[in-house]
Amino acid sequence: MPNIDQYLDENKDRFEHELCELLQIASISADPQYRDEVAQAARWVAGQFEKLGFPTEIVPTGGHPLVHARSPHVPGAPTALVYGHYDVQPVVPLELWTTPPFEPTVRDGCVYARGASDDKGQMLTHVKSAEAWMTVEGRLPINLIFLIEGEEECGGQGLATFVQENREQLACDCVVVSDSSQFGPDRPAITCGLRGIVYAELRLTGPNRDLHSGSFGGAVANPANALAKMLAALVDEHGRVQVPGFYDDVAPLTDKQRQQFASLPLDEAAYKASIGVSALAGEEGFTTLERLWARPTYDVCGMWSGYQGEGAKTVLPSVAGAKFSFRLVPNQEPSKIVEELRQKLTEVCPPGIQMELTIHHGGRGVLVSEDSPYTLAAARAIEQAFGTPPVYAREGGSIPIVVVFSEVLGVDVLLLGWGQGDDNAHSPNEKFSLADFHRGTRASARLWEELASCPTKHA
Ligand code: BES
Ligand code: MN
Ligand code: MN
């Protein structure tokens, strides 16, 4: 594909410029204050497809809009559905950013901005590869359906509903998602598994107001003490989650899977150094990659109570709260975990404390085929663009909609991450390598060609 490669080469600067345009839009989906910016990002994405002449619609949902576009129909050719998200995570703590999150800046070959890697930069590779085909060849070799949503980072249900209600219209041969990472620098990967999630919030209430901790302490249940005790009761000293039934449905690792994980080169010393910890921790009896990819976990994501200002204030707080998540592995059912959790927390909640448990979102884990014709096509495309074949890996993160695609549409989902594990997704100083941006775009352009010779059920 010399002409397409040449086009991609000649337009690199403009692609980077356009990525920066999108990165300037503060499309933070979790914060209602940024509603207009989220809508603006949707229009920007839709504008990209309109320029290519694709029929495009901005679909309103109960939450943020969904961008839906289609390439011109190629009879007899397979159809790929391309998924991505244009919304981003909040940017706090702002003071830790070297340059402001919505003023994209290039340093050391990387663009720094919120959403650079997750997912604006990765998503755009598929838009630009489609542009290259349309401009150079006047057509794509396959049919593409783009679904780019604005509610991924806030757990919105708009896209899931749209997929369920439009399954005939969305019939396809495979789904393509670039919203994950390579295994390491110059080590592209095909991601074959994602974890699921249950995200919970616990609020504890004790006395009807903050009290003097000397006058009342010792006689009144303290919600902050209770919170610490209850959160600690959910895991033991061996790293095993203490929710009854939690492990009942966990798919055990096969020997072959353990060998495959062990064959991947993880440098634990470098890993520890990169995140500034002196030791790694987790469930006993499992390696780091097993803990990250194939074992369920429990992590407190935030907690608050009492006095947090300067100096000391002797107070017995009236309320305490925490947000925490369980990462789930295939076969674990979020709704079942929630019921078991509610029961466990009720049991360990001390007298004099009232608890309220809210579930923010949930989703099952997923495994995808490593040897379908579509996966093999993706492997060939990646090898041509990156100069090295992909490794087969998994990710510890979650993309709940992937389960909906695989179950409702009944197709393979290709998880082709162009990011890196140290891109600082969800953290200050998020970045994306521009070399990976361009290699990802080239791999995407080849993928359409490679998929063209795959079987199709929807000609
Ligand atoms: N792109 C990530 C998912 C991801 C994270 C894939 C790490 C591979 C490695 C996605 O945007 C994300 O952040 N997902 C959330 C899901 C949640 C909001 C329902 C997550 O994993 O926390
Ligand atoms: Mn993402
Ligand atoms: Mn994310």
Side-chain angles (χ1 to χ4, degrees):
M1 309 188 330
N3 296 340
I4 288 188
D5 282 340
Q6 191 189 343
Y7 179 88
L8 294 177
D9 257 359
E10 286 171 359
N11 288 277
K12 273 185 176 173
D13 289 351
R14 178 171 56 83
F15 293 169
E16 291 176 15
H17 180 81
E18 288 175 325
L19 172 57
C20 289
E21 241 175 62
L22 178 58
L23 290 173
Q24 279 165 31
I25 307 173
S27 48
I28 303 172
S29 56
D31 188 341
Q33 283 197 333
Y34 292 89
R35 237 194 125 70
D36 292 349
E37 284 84 350
V38 177
Q40 191 192 340
R43 286 195 301 274
W44 190 94
V45 173
Q48 291 284 310
F49 297 123
E50 282 157 0
K51 268 187 234 163
L52 300 181
F54 292 3
T56 303
E57 54 171 347
I58 297 180
V59 184
T61 70
H64 299 294
L66 168 68
V67 180
H68 172 209
R70 287 174 181 258
S71 63
H73 187 65
V74 182
T79 300
L81 189 159
V82 183
Y83 165 79
H85 62 94
Y86 65 78
D87 65 322
V88 300
Q89 284 275 320
V91 294
V92 285
L94 192 57
E95 64 280 8
L96 294 184
W97 287 78
T98 304
T99 48
F102 299 110
E103 292 175 23
T105 311
V106 177
R107 291 193 293 277
D108 308 324
C110 294
V111 58
Y112 284 79
R114 171 57 87 232
S117 174
D118 185 11
D119 177 43
K120 288 172 173 175
Q122 298 201 54
M123 175 271 289
L124 200 60
T125 61
H126 299 301
V127 179
K128 292 295 130 188
S129 71
E131 176 193 309
W133 271 95
M134 293 306 292
T135 314
V136 175
E137 300 290 338
R139 62 186 280 275
L140 274 146
I142 61 169
N143 299 292
L144 293 182
I145 304 172
F146 282 93
L147 284 181
I148 314 296
E149 73 160 318
E151 301 191 296
E152 198 277 344
E153 299 290 12
C154 63
Q157 288 305 302
L159 176 57
T161 308
F162 182 82
V163 173
Q164 270 141 8
E165 287 175 356
N166 295 278
R167 56 176 84 197
E168 282 88 30
Q169 215 193 332
L170 298 175
C172 57
D173 297 291
C174 66
V175 173
V176 177
V177 182
S178 291
D179 189 21
S180 52
S181 301
Q182 302 179 49
F183 187 73
D186 298 317
R187 227 177 249 279
I190 293 184
T191 303
C192 295
L194 294 168
R195 288 194 291 193
I197 189 168
V198 162
Y199 196 104
E201 178 166 345
L202 179 64
R203 290 181 68 84
L204 301 182
T205 311
N208 59 8
R209 60 190 185 278
D210 285 2
L211 301 172
H212 190 295
S213 67
S215 310
F216 292 89
V220 176
N222 179 324
N225 291 32
L227 181 69
K229 181 179 150 208
M230 290 170 73
L231 292 177
L234 297 182
V235 63
D236 74 5
E237 68 276 24
H238 308 289
R240 295 275 295 185
V241 174
Q242 296 299 298
V243 174
F246 186 78
Y247 292 95
D248 284 1
D249 303 319
V250 167
L253 276 162
T254 64
D255 287 344
K256 195 170 157 231
Q257 285 165 336
R258 296 190 94 158
Q259 279 163 20
Q260 199 208 330
F261 288 14
S263 74
L264 293 171
L266 178 71
D267 180 344
E268 294 216 352
Y271 182 69
K272 283 191 286 191
S274 75
I275 50 177
V277 298
S278 58
L280 295 175
E283 189 183 359
E284 274 174 22
F286 296 92
T287 67
T288 297
L289 288 182
E290 289 168 358
R291 289 168 174 174
L292 287 172
W293 292 351
R295 299 299 298 171
T297 58
Y298 157 64
D299 279 287
V300 177
C301 300
M303 50 206 288
W304 61 93
S305 185
Y307 181 64
Q308 290 168 43
E310 291 290 315
K313 181 187 184 210
T314 47
V315 65
L316 192 165
S318 158
V319 295
K323 296 177 194 263
F324 55 97
S325 71
F326 298 94
R327 294 287 169 169
L328 308 180
V329 298
N331 296 350
Q332 280 183 299
E333 178 57 45
S335 59
K336 187 163 162 249
I337 304 288
V338 168
E339 281 328 300
E340 293 161 349
L341 169 69
R342 197 179 291 280
Q343 210 177 328
K344 170 80 182 191
L345 288 173
T346 308
E347 276 163 25
V348 295
C349 183
I353 299 287
Q354 266 198 311
M355 71 167 239
E356 190 190 330
L357 181 69
T358 315
I359 304 302
H360 287 281
H361 48 71
R364 264 173 280 155
V366 67
L367 286 181
V368 291
S369 155
E370 301 187 18
D371 51 15
S372 78
Y374 311 101
T375 314
L376 298 175
R380 292 193 298 273
I382 289 172
E383 179 163 5
Q384 291 168 51
F386 285 76
T388 174
V391 298
Y392 292 83
R394 297 195 198 178
E395 286 275 13
S398 313
I399 312 178
I401 197 68
V402 167
V403 178
V404 177
F405 287 137
S406 91
E407 288 178 2
V408 176
L409 304 178
V411 294
D412 283 317
V413 181
L414 306 177
L415 300 164
L416 315 177
W418 314 136
Q420 292 294 343
D422 66 355
D423 276 347
N424 295 324
H426 299 200
S427 297
N429 302 311
E430 181 174 349
K431 66 176 168 66
F432 186 39
S433 150
L434 290 171
D436 283 334
F437 176 54
H438 297 300
R439 293 193 291 192
T441 307
R442 219 174 321 139
S444 172
R446 303 228 164 226
L447 178 62
W448 312 143
E449 171 99 330
E450 293 289 347
L451 286 176
S453 54
C454 285
T456 173
K457 284 184 274 180
H458 305 283

